[in-house]
């Protein structure tokens, strides 16, 4: 029993078909619990009022935006090294989810920033890096769309993902050098002295878990669609040959 | 490799390549900026550093799709890929040729354009230094982008979309160096970081670009 068994599309389809309802159900439950708890059953912050509640969307989506890129990096590496098609297709399937998460984080941040900082947008390092991340996702998806041959597209986007990761990281710290910002520092770390209070923290953790499960469910669904689309192409090609 | 460099340089200079074009584009962008933001000298001096760097970056971008495209279309790239020199070397030479025909002229002409934008006197040294150190990175990153899109029919627009985000760190450090120079501060730190990006890109990106070309030639 090893992870590589799932490189076989048949095996992947069977297992994901069994797992998908579980992930979908759990994602729905945790998202509803986390968001309802966060929105309706937590006190308002004494300075920020009810606007504080946007963190239940903002923080999980921002975390997912970064983690999905990392996941794409890992699957791209697996594709380049071991040539498993499922891996390449998973990276392709993850990118649109990642760009959506980036957009959610940017928009909820802007909505929160308007009453709190008095501006929709500042060129703060974190905000700027997220805009950069958005552009990286955009380029990655555009490259997938532009190339007809699926194997060529998988190879080139994988290379772009590797190089892009290095430059995304570089940009992150270059931006830090360029401007100091308004955005608060990390306040959720497990080892930090001072963190967000438990009243806000617990529903936030539930929301984060919900977003992760939601992503896994979407990813499985989209990867299954990609595999089916690939099979359809193969069938059509065979028909044309006959 | 030297022969390849000579060939690329001759092609760029003689065959209506991007040689003078990038420089002319640089001049036009710099001319357009005062029309956009007004002729006030103090304002121009404030934005000069950033404008010069962004204009240089766009001028570099202009001739990028020619780095591999023409060779790909007439088949020379297949010959180069099967030639005894490694493909990584070909990529590095191509990037060097691109730099010699765009980055180097831009660097030499930049002080003149700085005058047009009323760049403060203390910034000229940093301007030349930062462009001389930074534009090779632009060429190298651009060559990587060109290698990714070489197989595409209309890769030009996609090329800019892929390459411009990769240009961000270079732009930040380059413009920061000139800005600090303009304020009379010491700009050693950003210049060193800029040099780091250039050397890192020159050392690693040829491998990525060569891998992309191999995929495209498959």
């Amino acid at each position: 029993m090893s992870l590589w068994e799932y490189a076989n599309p048949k095996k992947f389809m069977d297992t994901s078909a069994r797992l998908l309802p579980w992930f979908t159900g759990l994602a729905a439950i945790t998202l509803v619990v986390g968001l309802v708890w966060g929105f309706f059953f937590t006190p308002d912050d004494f300075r920020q009022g009810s606007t504080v509640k946007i963190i239940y969307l903002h923080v999980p989506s921002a975390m997912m935006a970064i983690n999905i890129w990392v996941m794409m990096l890992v699957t791209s590496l697996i594709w380049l090294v071991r040539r498993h098609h499922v891996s390449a297709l998973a990276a392709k399937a993850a990118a649109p989810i990642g760009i959506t998460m980036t957009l959610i984080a940017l928009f909820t941040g802007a909505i929160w920033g308007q009453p709190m900082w008095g501006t929709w947008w500042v060129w703060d390092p974190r905000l700027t890096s997220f805009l950069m991340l958005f552009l990286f996702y955009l380029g990655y998806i555009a490259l997938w769309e532009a190339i007809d041959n699926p194997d060529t597209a998988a190879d080139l986007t994988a290379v772009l993902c590797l190089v892009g990761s290095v430059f995304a990281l570089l940009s992150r710290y270059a931006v830090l050098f360029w401007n100091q910002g308004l955005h608060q520092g990390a306040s959720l770390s497990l080892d930090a002295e001072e963190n967000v209070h438990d009243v806000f923290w617990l529903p936030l953790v539930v929301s984060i878990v919900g977003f992760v499960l939601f992503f896994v469910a979407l990813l499985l669904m989209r990867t299954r669609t990609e595999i089916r689309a690939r099979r359809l192409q193969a069938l059509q090609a065979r028909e044309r040959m006959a | 490799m030297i022969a390849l460099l000579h060939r690329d340089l001759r092609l760029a200079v003689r065959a209506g390549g991007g040689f003078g074009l990038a420089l002319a584009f640089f001049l036009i962008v710099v001319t357009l900026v005062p029309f956009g933001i007004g002729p006030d000298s103090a304002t121009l001096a404030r934005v000069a550093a950033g404008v010069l760097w962004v204009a240089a970056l766009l001028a570099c971008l202009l001739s990028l799709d020619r780095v591999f495209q023409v060779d790909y279309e007439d088949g020379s790239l297949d010959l180069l890929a099967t030639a005894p020199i490694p493909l990584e070397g070909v990529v590095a030479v191509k990037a060097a040729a691109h730099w010699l025909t765009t980055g180097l002229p831009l660097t030499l002409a930049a002080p003149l354009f700085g005058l047009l934008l009323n760049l403060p006197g203390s910034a000229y040294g940093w301007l030349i230094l930062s462009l001389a150190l930074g534009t090779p990175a632009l060429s190298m990153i651009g060559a990587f982008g060109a290698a990714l899109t070489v197989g595409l029919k209309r890769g030009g627009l996609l090329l800019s979309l892929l390459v411009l985000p990769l240009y961000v760190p270079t732009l930040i450090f380059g413009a920061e160096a000139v800005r600090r120079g303009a304020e009379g501060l010491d700009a050693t730190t950003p210049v060193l970081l800029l040099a780091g990006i250039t050397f890192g890109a020159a050392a690693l990106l040829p491998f990525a670009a060569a891998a992309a070309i191999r995929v495209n030639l498959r």
Side-chain angles (χ1 to χ4, degrees):
Chain A
M1 180 69 199
S2 98
L3 184 65
W4 301 117
E5 279 178 25
Y6 298 102
N8 177 349
K10 173 80 174 65
K11 178 91 178 156
F12 176 84
M13 290 299 267
D14 290 348
T15 316
S16 61
R18 259 183 287 123
L19 287 180
L20 190 54
W22 287 99
F23 274 110
T24 316
L26 283 174
I29 293 168
T30 41
L31 270 184
V32 168
V33 168
L35 291 181
V36 170
W37 184 2
F39 284 150
F40 299 110
F41 299 102
T42 55
D44 288 354
D45 185 81
F46 81 102
R47 254 184 307 173
Q48 303 181 22
S50 58
T51 59
V52 72
K53 293 181 175 178
I54 213 155
I55 67 166
Y56 304 111
L57 285 172
H58 181 70
V59 175
S61 60
M63 286 173 82
M64 289 317 291
I66 298 168
N67 291 341
I68 290 173
W69 185 274
V70 176
M71 176 239 141
M72 280 160 54
L73 175 64
V74 173
T75 47
S76 298
L77 268 174
I78 294 176
W79 160 250
L80 281 181
V81 176
R82 301 192 61 147
R83 318 299 292 178
H84 295 319
H85 284 269
V86 174
S87 184
L89 290 179
K92 182 187 185 186
I97 312 177
I99 201 171
T100 314
M101 292 292 178
T102 317
L103 273 182
I104 294 175
L106 282 172
F107 273 98
T108 50
I111 293 167
W112 180 87
Q114 215 290 321
M116 284 304 117
W117 295 343
T119 170
W120 298 100
W121 180 262
V122 282
W123 289 95
D124 163 279
R126 284 201 190 208
L127 276 64
T128 315
S129 330
F130 251 77
L131 196 58
M132 300 304 310
L133 188 64
F134 176 71
L135 293 177
F136 277 110
Y137 271 122
L138 212 58
Y140 181 88
I141 296 173
L143 192 61
W144 260 111
E145 295 301 322
I147 303 170
D148 294 328
N149 183 325
D151 276 8
T152 312
D155 277 331
L156 292 181
T157 48
V159 173
L160 176 68
C161 186
L162 297 192
V163 175
S165 307
V166 175
F167 275 89
L169 212 62
L170 213 58
S171 310
R172 174 79 184 89
Y173 290 98
V175 165
L176 218 55
F177 176 86
W178 166 71
N179 193 3
Q180 301 302 318
L182 280 173
H183 199 293
Q184 63 164 333
S187 53
L188 295 172
S189 325
L190 295 174
D191 56 349
E193 291 280 312
E194 197 174 333
N195 262 336
V196 169
H197 193 274
D198 274 356
V199 177
F200 302 112
W201 195 73
L202 289 174
L204 183 56
V205 168
V206 178
S207 303
I208 292 173
V209 172
F211 265 76
V212 173
L213 290 171
F214 181 49
F215 163 66
V216 174
L218 275 180
L219 179 69
L220 287 179
M221 222 181 287
R222 289 186 57 91
T223 312
R224 288 167 60 81
T225 315
E226 293 286 344
I227 291 174
R228 289 207 173 108
R230 189 66 71 83
R231 283 179 179 168
L232 212 57
Q233 272 176 4
L235 281 179
Q236 278 173 340
R238 205 173 298 162
E239 228 163 55
R240 272 198 300 276
M241 299 283 269
Chain B
M1 284 171 95
I2 305 285
L4 181 61
L5 185 65
H6 279 301
R7 167 187 174 272
D8 273 9
L9 288 179
R10 267 204 304 279
L11 275 178
V13 174
R14 287 184 194 161
F19 185 57
L21 213 58
L23 212 54
F25 181 79
F26 193 29
L27 175 63
I28 287 173
V29 172
V30 169
T31 315
L32 285 180
V33 166
F35 294 135
I37 59 175
D40 177 38
S41 302
T43 320
L44 282 180
R46 263 176 58 81
V47 298
V51 168
L52 285 170
W53 252 94
V54 171
L57 191 148
L58 292 177
C60 252
L61 196 68
L62 201 62
S63 50
L64 273 182
D65 53 341
R66 299 181 59 89
V67 175
F68 297 115
Q69 196 67 43
V70 183
D71 283 347
Y72 177 76
E73 277 161 8
D74 68 6
S76 339
L77 201 57
D78 294 282
L79 286 181
L80 288 172
T82 49
I85 57 171
L87 196 53
E88 285 80 4
V90 173
V91 172
V93 168
K94 290 252 172 205
H98 180 262
W99 180 71
L100 285 172
T101 50
T102 56
L104 189 62
L106 288 182
T107 309
L108 297 177
L112 205 63
F113 298 159
L115 279 178
L116 285 178
L117 291 178
N118 195 26
L119 188 71
S122 54
Y124 286 91
W126 294 115
L127 177 66
I128 296 178
L129 188 64
S130 69
L131 279 174
L133 278 173
T135 44
L138 298 184
S139 292
M140 193 59 243
I141 298 168
F144 167 67
L148 279 181
T149 53
V150 70
L152 298 172
K153 282 281 171 293
R154 287 178 297 278
L157 206 59
L158 182 63
L159 175 65
S160 354
L161 181 63
L162 295 182
V163 163
L164 284 177
L166 301 180
Y167 276 174
V168 169
T170 323
L171 174 64
I172 287 177
F173 292 128
E176 181 73 21
V178 184
R179 200 178 311 126
R180 287 195 185 180
E183 288 166 7
L185 302 168
D186 181 42
T188 315
T189 319
V191 165
L192 285 180
L193 288 166
L194 192 62
I197 291 178
T198 298
F199 289 125
L204 298 176
L205 277 180
F207 295 96
I213 289 180
R214 284 200 192 95
V215 172
N216 268 322
L217 288 179
R218 201 158 54 194

